[in-house]
Amino acid sequence: MNILESFKMAMSSILSNKMRSFLTMLGIIIGISSVITIVSLGNGGKSYIADQFAKMGANTVTLSVDSSKVEQTSDYFTLDDVKQIKNKVDTAKYISPTVSEKGTARTDTKTNTANITGVNTDYSLISNVEIVYGRFLNDREVEEGKAVVVIDQTSAISLFGTDDAVGKSFKLGPVASSKNATVVGVSKASSMFSSGASSEGGPPGRKADNTPTMATVPITFLQTLYPIDFNISSISITSSSQETSVQTGNEALKILQANHDNKTLNLYKATNSASMLDSINQVLGVFTTFLSAVAAISLLVGGIGVMNIMLVSVTERTKEIGIRKAIGATTNAILFQFLTESVILSLIGGLIGMSLGIFSAEIIGSFANINPSVSISVIIEVILFSSAVGIFFGIYPARKAARLNPIDALRYE
């Protein structure tokens, strides 16, 4: 018997018992669809996380000081450290110190709490600051400590009633020693504020606002606002490429350790965004694999179902097997016929499960804002795995059918 005849006989047997065949395939369908859904969403989740890191800068290195190990003020970073790293580390494309302080933002009618961040001009390139009106800080303003500020749209509306606040001035800094700062730019509205923040320290009669003002100023101006508490504990660096980010961080650490001559172990740390992404992807990969393994248990159940039904089929068709053997059918022909039937059952179940899994992943992904991804290799693996299940669980029934004694089979009622 050739392959085509075996295929026709297998399809005839499957179609003659449609409901039984469907129930047999159901375990395969559920198992494959579950695995495909989980893998698709897992791959989509990795892509989503990678996109978010790309927006933040996947090749960004953050240098930080462990405040719990600081022994003296000189252990903190300095502006001279920033200049040396920029000049000596060839792979450092952009670099900016970052210092944040709490204060107030006051106009004639409003007093808001303020989150004041001191940076240099590279900060906008590192953090992808999107300017809506005006411009970002320039080199001269940073060098001279000019009293200029960039605020976001929400802060502009809160303080001035309009988001185009370029050229307007307000008091910024500590309550007791705030200074006039002129708005040179307005950035896209930021979500980095606390709705529960309250106004503090404003003179009586001024209207308070729950939304803190997000203010970005030259780091040298921030130093004049907070001369006593001014300590640089964080420096952000954008490496020339993701591949060189580790090298950039290591070279910068060497410069810092040499400049400060500090003996404290692990006082300075370089955090690599790319390594963080790798760690997250690794955890997500393990989680996806675990869930896929759990879902694949149903494939075992489905395979047992295939074996069970094939054994029933062998029993039902014992007399047919005896007749075929009596007229010359070989043991291998009988074996191949039943093995073909089990493989087709598993393969059809696998294809249905794959389609259902892709559809389910698309539906779930639309609610989770994730674009599920299924590679060609996964589809090929599904087809091969389904066939393997059919072969593995179909061998025993097929061998049982092939080994039947034709005389006993013909006598079977």
Side-chain angles (χ1 to χ4, degrees):
M1 179 184 289
N2 59 36
I3 296 176
L4 183 59
E5 289 177 348
S6 295
F7 178 79
K8 287 180 179 178
M9 291 188 68
M11 288 302 300
S12 175
S13 176
I14 292 171
L15 294 175
S16 64
N17 298 281
K18 295 183 181 67
M19 180 56 69
R20 188 175 75 180
S21 298
F22 173 74
L23 293 176
T24 303
M25 293 185 290
L26 194 57
I28 304 292
I29 293 171
I30 293 173
I32 293 293
S33 63
S34 299
V35 172
I36 288 291
T37 300
I38 293 169
V39 171
S40 300
L41 291 174
N43 290 338
K46 288 181 181 179
S47 298
Y48 176 79
I49 293 171
D51 289 341
Q52 296 304 309
F53 266 82
K55 291 178 181 178
M56 295 186 295
N59 52 342
T60 299
V61 179
T62 302
L63 307 176
S64 57
V65 179
D66 187 344
S67 299
S68 63
K69 297 179 180 179
V70 171
E71 298 176 353
Q72 51 195 358
T73 305
S74 60
D75 288 339
Y76 286 101
F77 304 142
T78 66
L79 295 178
D80 186 59
D81 291 334
V82 176
K83 291 180 181 178
Q84 287 195 41
I85 292 172
K86 189 166 187 176
N87 292 332
K88 294 181 179 180
V89 180
D90 295 333
T91 54
K93 190 175 181 181
Y94 307 117
I95 179 169
S96 175
T98 305
V99 179
S100 296
E101 298 286 355
K102 296 288 186 182
T104 59
R106 292 181 292 162
T107 66
D108 292 338
T109 58
K110 291 278 187 72
T111 296
N112 295 346
T113 56
N115 295 328
I116 312 170
T117 304
V119 298
N120 65 14
T121 55
D122 282 359
Y123 179 81
S124 64
L125 301 171
I126 296 172
S127 300
N128 297 316
V129 177
E130 185 176 342
I131 298 296
V132 180
Y133 300 103
R135 59 174 174 79
F136 197 69
L137 311 173
N138 61 38
D139 290 330
R140 185 176 63 84
E141 290 164 345
V142 174
E143 289 174 5
E144 299 178 4
K146 294 288 186 181
V148 293
V149 59
V150 174
I151 58 177
D152 67 355
Q153 287 176 293
T154 304
S155 301
I157 293 171
S158 175
L159 288 172
F160 304 107
T162 176
D163 59 351
D164 187 0
V166 175
K168 298 182 183 295
S169 298
F170 63 96
K171 291 278 189 179
L172 182 67
V175 176
S177 57
S178 57
K179 297 182 179 181
N180 272 320
T182 302
V183 179
V184 295
V186 178
S187 64
K188 190 174 181 179
S190 171
S191 61
M192 296 176 61
F193 58 81
S194 170
S195 59
S198 60
S199 177
E200 296 178 4
R206 280 205 174 106
K207 185 178 179 180
D209 195 294
N210 286 334
T211 304
T213 296
M214 309 300 292
T216 303
V217 301
I219 192 165
T220 45
F221 175 53
L222 185 72
Q223 190 172 17
T224 64
L225 293 175
Y226 298 88
I228 299 176
D229 300 326
F230 182 82
N231 293 310
I232 303 174
S233 58
S234 177
I235 297 175
S236 297
I237 306 174
T238 296
S239 180
S240 55
S241 68
Q242 186 172 329
E243 291 72 24
T244 60
S245 56
V246 174
Q247 175 189 343
T248 301
N250 291 337
E251 290 182 9
L253 286 178
K254 289 179 182 178
I255 293 173
L256 292 172
Q257 290 165 353
N259 287 352
H260 294 267
D261 192 27
N262 192 283
K263 307 301 181 184
T264 304
L265 187 64
N266 296 327
L267 176 64
Y268 305 130
K269 182 173 65 173
T271 305
N272 189 337
S273 295
S275 62
M276 291 173 61
L277 177 60
D278 290 340
S279 298
I280 293 173
N281 282 338
Q282 186 177 2
V283 171
L284 187 59
V286 171
F287 187 64
T288 301
T289 302
F290 172 75
L291 290 180
S292 298
V294 172
I297 292 175
S298 59
L299 288 174
L300 178 63
V301 177
I304 294 172
V306 170
M307 179 186 287
N308 182 52
I309 292 302
M310 291 308 300
L311 287 171
V312 171
S313 180
V314 169
T315 302
E316 289 178 345
R317 296 159 63 185
T318 299
K319 197 164 189 177
E320 173 195 329
I321 295 168
I323 294 171
R324 290 188 58 204
K325 279 203 163 192
I327 61 177
T330 64
T331 298
N332 287 338
I334 301 296
L335 176 69
F336 188 73
Q337 176 193 342
F338 282 89
L339 199 57
T340 300
E341 188 173 331
S342 66
V343 169
I344 290 175
L345 276 171
S346 298
L347 194 56
I348 293 174
L351 293 174
I352 294 174
M354 181 183 67
S355 302
L356 184 62
I358 293 173
F359 178 74
S360 300
E362 291 288 345
I363 296 297
I364 297 173
S366 64
F367 286 102
N369 293 323
I370 293 175
N371 292 320
S373 173
V374 183
S375 63
I376 298 296
S377 61
V378 172
I379 293 175
I380 294 174
E381 287 172 6
V382 166
I383 295 173
L384 293 177
F385 190 79
S386 300
S387 302
V389 168
I391 293 171
F392 181 79
F393 288 98
I395 285 177
Y396 176 72
R399 290 184 65 186
K400 182 179 180 181
R403 291 180 175 181
L404 284 175
N405 186 297
I407 297 175
D408 293 334
L410 286 170
R411 289 175 176 172
Y412 183 80
E413 295 294 337

PDB file of all heavy atoms in Angstrom, residues 125-140:
ATOM      1  N   LEU A 125      19.016  65.191  25.499  1.00  0.00           N
ATOM      2  CA  LEU A 125      19.339  64.150  24.527  1.00  0.00           C
ATOM      3  C   LEU A 125      19.331  62.769  25.173  1.00  0.00           C
ATOM      4  O   LEU A 125      18.978  61.778  24.538  1.00  0.00           O
ATOM      5  CB  LEU A 125      20.707  64.427  23.905  1.00  0.00           C
ATOM      6  CG  LEU A 125      20.826  65.778  23.182  1.00  0.00           C
ATOM      7  CD1 LEU A 125      22.268  66.053  22.793  1.00  0.00           C
ATOM      8  CD2 LEU A 125      19.934  65.788  21.933  1.00  0.00           C
ATOM      9  N   ILE A 126      19.717  62.709  26.441  1.00  0.00           N
ATOM     10  CA  ILE A 126      19.717  61.435  27.159  1.00  0.00           C
ATOM     11  C   ILE A 126      18.290  60.991  27.464  1.00  0.00           C
ATOM     12  O   ILE A 126      17.937  59.821  27.291  1.00  0.00           O
ATOM     13  CB  ILE A 126      20.523  61.550  28.472  1.00  0.00           C
ATOM     14  CG1 ILE A 126      21.995  61.831  28.170  1.00  0.00           C
ATOM     15  CG2 ILE A 126      20.384  60.279  29.310  1.00  0.00           C
ATOM     16  CD1 ILE A 126      22.826  62.140  29.396  1.00  0.00           C
ATOM     17  N   SER A 127      17.463  61.925  27.907  1.00  0.00           N
ATOM     18  CA  SER A 127      16.100  61.591  28.343  1.00  0.00           C
ATOM     19  C   SER A 127      15.046  61.842  27.276  1.00  0.00           C
ATOM     20  O   SER A 127      13.849  61.697  27.548  1.00  0.00           O
ATOM     21  CB  SER A 127      15.743  62.396  29.603  1.00  0.00           C
ATOM     22  OG  SER A 127      16.640  62.099  30.646  1.00  0.00           O
ATOM     23  N   ASN A 128      15.479  62.228  26.079  1.00  0.00           N
ATOM     24  CA  ASN A 128      14.534  62.490  24.979  1.00  0.00           C
ATOM     25  C   ASN A 128      13.437  63.472  25.383  1.00  0.00           C
ATOM     26  O   ASN A 128      12.248  63.207  25.221  1.00  0.00           O
ATOM     27  CB  ASN A 128      13.900  61.183  24.493  1.00  0.00           C
ATOM     28  CG  ASN A 128      14.915  60.228  23.910  1.00  0.00           C
ATOM     29  OD1 ASN A 128      15.787  60.630  23.150  1.00  0.00           O
ATOM     30  ND2 ASN A 128      14.823  58.956  24.283  1.00  0.00           N
ATOM     31  N   VAL A 129      13.838  64.604  25.933  1.00  0.00           N
ATOM     32  CA  VAL A 129      12.887  65.638  26.327  1.00  0.00           C
ATOM     33  C   VAL A 129      12.260  66.244  25.075  1.00  0.00           C
ATOM     34  O   VAL A 129      12.961  66.667  24.160  1.00  0.00           O
ATOM     35  CB  VAL A 129      13.575  66.745  27.159  1.00  0.00           C
ATOM     36  CG1 VAL A 129      12.581  67.844  27.506  1.00  0.00           C
ATOM     37  CG2 VAL A 129      14.185  66.147  28.420  1.00  0.00           C
ATOM     38  N   GLU A 130      10.944  66.261  25.045  1.00  0.00           N
ATOM     39  CA  GLU A 130      10.230  66.800  23.880  1.00  0.00           C
ATOM     40  C   GLU A 130       9.763  68.230  24.196  1.00  0.00           C
ATOM     41  O   GLU A 130       8.869  68.432  25.023  1.00  0.00           O
ATOM     42  CB  GLU A 130       9.043  65.909  23.539  1.00  0.00           C
ATOM     43  CG  GLU A 130       8.317  66.322  22.272  1.00  0.00           C
ATOM     44  CD  GLU A 130       7.201  65.366  21.899  1.00  0.00           C
ATOM     45  OE1 GLU A 130       7.204  64.220  22.417  1.00  0.00           O
ATOM     46  OE2 GLU A 130       6.329  65.754  21.105  1.00  0.00           O
ATOM     47  N   ILE A 131      10.377  69.203  23.550  1.00  0.00           N
ATOM     48  CA  ILE A 131      10.048  70.604  23.784  1.00  0.00           C
ATOM     49  C   ILE A 131       8.859  71.010  22.902  1.00  0.00           C
ATOM     50  O   ILE A 131       8.864  70.798  21.690  1.00  0.00           O
ATOM     51  CB  ILE A 131      11.254  71.515  23.483  1.00  0.00           C
ATOM     52  CG1 ILE A 131      12.419  71.177  24.428  1.00  0.00           C
ATOM     53  CG2 ILE A 131      10.859  72.987  23.621  1.00  0.00           C
ATOM     54  CD1 ILE A 131      12.130  71.439  25.898  1.00  0.00           C
ATOM     55  N   VAL A 132       7.852  71.582  23.540  1.00  0.00           N
ATOM     56  CA  VAL A 132       6.642  72.018  22.823  1.00  0.00           C
ATOM     57  C   VAL A 132       6.745  73.495  22.459  1.00  0.00           C
ATOM     58  O   VAL A 132       6.393  73.906  21.344  1.00  0.00           O
ATOM     59  CB  VAL A 132       5.382  71.771  23.682  1.00  0.00           C
ATOM     60  CG1 VAL A 132       4.126  72.211  22.940  1.00  0.00           C
ATOM     61  CG2 VAL A 132       5.288  70.299  24.072  1.00  0.00           C
ATOM     62  N   TYR A 133       7.212  74.316  23.395  1.00  0.00           N
ATOM     63  CA  TYR A 133       7.413  75.751  23.173  1.00  0.00           C
ATOM     64  C   TYR A 133       8.816  76.131  23.632  1.00  0.00           C
ATOM     65  O   TYR A 133       9.326  75.600  24.612  1.00  0.00           O
ATOM     66  CB  TYR A 133       6.384  76.594  23.951  1.00  0.00           C
ATOM     67  CG  TYR A 133       4.940  76.323  23.577  1.00  0.00           C
ATOM     68  CD1 TYR A 133       4.126  75.556  24.417  1.00  0.00           C
ATOM     69  CD2 TYR A 133       4.403  76.823  22.396  1.00  0.00           C
ATOM     70  CE1 TYR A 133       2.805  75.308  24.093  1.00  0.00           C
ATOM     71  CE2 TYR A 133       3.081  76.564  22.063  1.00  0.00           C
ATOM     72  CZ  TYR A 133       2.283  75.809  22.913  1.00  0.00           C
ATOM     73  OH  TYR A 133       0.983  75.554  22.569  1.00  0.00           O
ATOM     74  N   GLY A 134       9.415  77.061  22.920  1.00  0.00           N
ATOM     75  CA  GLY A 134      10.727  77.552  23.326  1.00  0.00           C
ATOM     76  C   GLY A 134      11.832  76.554  23.020  1.00  0.00           C
ATOM     77  O   GLY A 134      11.848  75.915  21.970  1.00  0.00           O
ATOM     78  N   ARG A 135      12.738  76.359  23.974  1.00  0.00           N
ATOM     79  CA  ARG A 135      13.916  75.521  23.777  1.00  0.00           C
ATOM     80  C   ARG A 135      14.353  74.930  25.111  1.00  0.00           C
ATOM     81  O   ARG A 135      13.794  75.265  26.162  1.00  0.00           O
ATOM     82  CB  ARG A 135      15.067  76.364  23.203  1.00  0.00           C
ATOM     83  CG  ARG A 135      15.446  77.537  24.106  1.00  0.00           C
ATOM     84  CD  ARG A 135      16.676  78.284  23.635  1.00  0.00           C
ATOM     85  NE  ARG A 135      16.930  79.466  24.437  1.00  0.00           N
ATOM     86  CZ  ARG A 135      17.502  79.468  25.634  1.00  0.00           C
ATOM     87  NH1 ARG A 135      17.872  78.324  26.193  1.00  0.00           N
ATOM     88  NH2 ARG A 135      17.705  80.604  26.295  1.00  0.00           N
ATOM     89  N   PHE A 136      15.385  74.075  25.035  1.00  0.00           N
ATOM     90  CA  PHE A 136      15.966  73.532  26.252  1.00  0.00           C
ATOM     91  C   PHE A 136      17.110  74.442  26.709  1.00  0.00           C
ATOM     92  O   PHE A 136      17.421  75.453  26.065  1.00  0.00           O
ATOM     93  CB  PHE A 136      16.473  72.102  26.019  1.00  0.00           C
ATOM     94  CG  PHE A 136      16.709  71.330  27.283  1.00  0.00           C
ATOM     95  CD1 PHE A 136      15.648  70.938  28.088  1.00  0.00           C
ATOM     96  CD2 PHE A 136      17.994  71.000  27.686  1.00  0.00           C
ATOM     97  CE1 PHE A 136      15.863  70.239  29.269  1.00  0.00           C
ATOM     98  CE2 PHE A 136      18.226  70.301  28.854  1.00  0.00           C
ATOM     99  CZ  PHE A 136      17.150  69.916  29.656  1.00  0.00           C
ATOM    100  N   LEU A 137      17.724  74.096  27.807  1.00  0.00           N
ATOM    101  CA  LEU A 137      18.832  74.884  28.350  1.00  0.00           C
ATOM    102  C   LEU A 137      20.018  74.853  27.389  1.00  0.00           C
ATOM    103  O   LEU A 137      20.238  73.860  26.698  1.00  0.00           O
ATOM    104  CB  LEU A 137      19.258  74.313  29.707  1.00  0.00           C
ATOM    105  CG  LEU A 137      18.134  74.036  30.724  1.00  0.00           C
ATOM    106  CD1 LEU A 137      18.697  73.312  31.937  1.00  0.00           C
ATOM    107  CD2 LEU A 137      17.446  75.331  31.118  1.00  0.00           C
ATOM    108  N   ASN A 138      20.793  75.954  27.340  1.00  0.00           N
ATOM    109  CA  ASN A 138      21.982  75.953  26.484  1.00  0.00           C
ATOM    110  C   ASN A 138      23.260  75.974  27.332  1.00  0.00           C
ATOM    111  O   ASN A 138      23.215  76.135  28.560  1.00  0.00           O
ATOM    112  CB  ASN A 138      21.964  77.117  25.490  1.00  0.00           C
ATOM    113  CG  ASN A 138      21.936  78.480  26.165  1.00  0.00           C
ATOM    114  OD1 ASN A 138      22.574  78.690  27.199  1.00  0.00           O
ATOM    115  ND2 ASN A 138      21.204  79.433  25.595  1.00  0.00           N
ATOM    116  N   ASP A 139      24.407  75.816  26.679  1.00  0.00           N
ATOM    117  CA  ASP A 139      25.695  75.693  27.379  1.00  0.00           C
ATOM    118  C   ASP A 139      26.036  76.936  28.198  1.00  0.00           C
ATOM    119  O   ASP A 139      26.553  76.842  29.314  1.00  0.00           O
ATOM    120  CB  ASP A 139      26.815  75.428  26.368  1.00  0.00           C
ATOM    121  CG  ASP A 139      26.724  74.032  25.764  1.00  0.00           C
ATOM    122  OD1 ASP A 139      26.237  73.124  26.461  1.00  0.00           O
ATOM    123  OD2 ASP A 139      27.128  73.858  24.602  1.00  0.00           O
ATOM    124  N   ARG A 140      25.775  78.109  27.654  1.00  0.00           N
ATOM    125  CA  ARG A 140      26.120  79.352  28.362  1.00  0.00           C
ATOM    126  C   ARG A 140      25.325  79.462  29.657  1.00  0.00           C
ATOM    127  O   ARG A 140      25.861  79.872  30.702  1.00  0.00           O
ATOM    128  CB  ARG A 140      25.836  80.566  27.466  1.00  0.00           C
ATOM    129  CG  ARG A 140      26.289  81.901  28.086  1.00  0.00           C
ATOM    130  CD  ARG A 140      26.065  83.054  27.126  1.00  0.00           C
ATOM    131  NE  ARG A 140      24.654  83.233  26.836  1.00  0.00           N
ATOM    132  CZ  ARG A 140      23.813  83.937  27.612  1.00  0.00           C
ATOM    133  NH1 ARG A 140      24.251  84.496  28.738  1.00  0.00           N
ATOM    134  NH2 ARG A 140      22.550  84.060  27.284  1.00  0.00           N
TER     135      ARG A 140
END
